Amino acid sequence: MAKKSKAISARRAANIRLIVQIFFFALIALIAVNHTLEEAGKAIPILSSASLHASTIIII
C-alpha cells in the first residue's frame, strides 16, 4: 500500500510542477510580448512596468 501512495504523491507533485512551469512560461511570454507592444506604444496597462526580474522575486 505504501508504494501506491508514494506513486500517487509523486504523480501529484509532477502535476503541480507542470502547472507552475506552464504558469511561469506564460507569464514570461506575456511580459516579453508586452515589452514589444510598449515600444510600439500599445502596452497592456497592468503589465507596462513588469519585468522578468520581478517574476523571479515571486519564486524566492
Side-chain angles (χ1 to χ4, degrees), residues 21-35 51-53 55-56 59:
Q21 286 177 333
I22 290 170
F23 170 76
F24 277 103
F25 177 78
L27 178 65
I28 291 169
L30 187 61
I31 291 171
V33 168
N34 191 54
H35 278 290
S51 71
L52 297 177
H53 298 287
S55 66
T56 56
I59 297 172

Side-chain angles (χ1 to χ4, degrees), residues 27-47:
L27 178 65
I28 291 169
L30 187 61
I31 291 171
V33 168
N34 191 54
H35 278 290
T36 304
L37 290 173
E38 188 175 14
E39 291 175 2
K42 300 176 184 180
I44 301 169
I46 296 173
L47 295 175

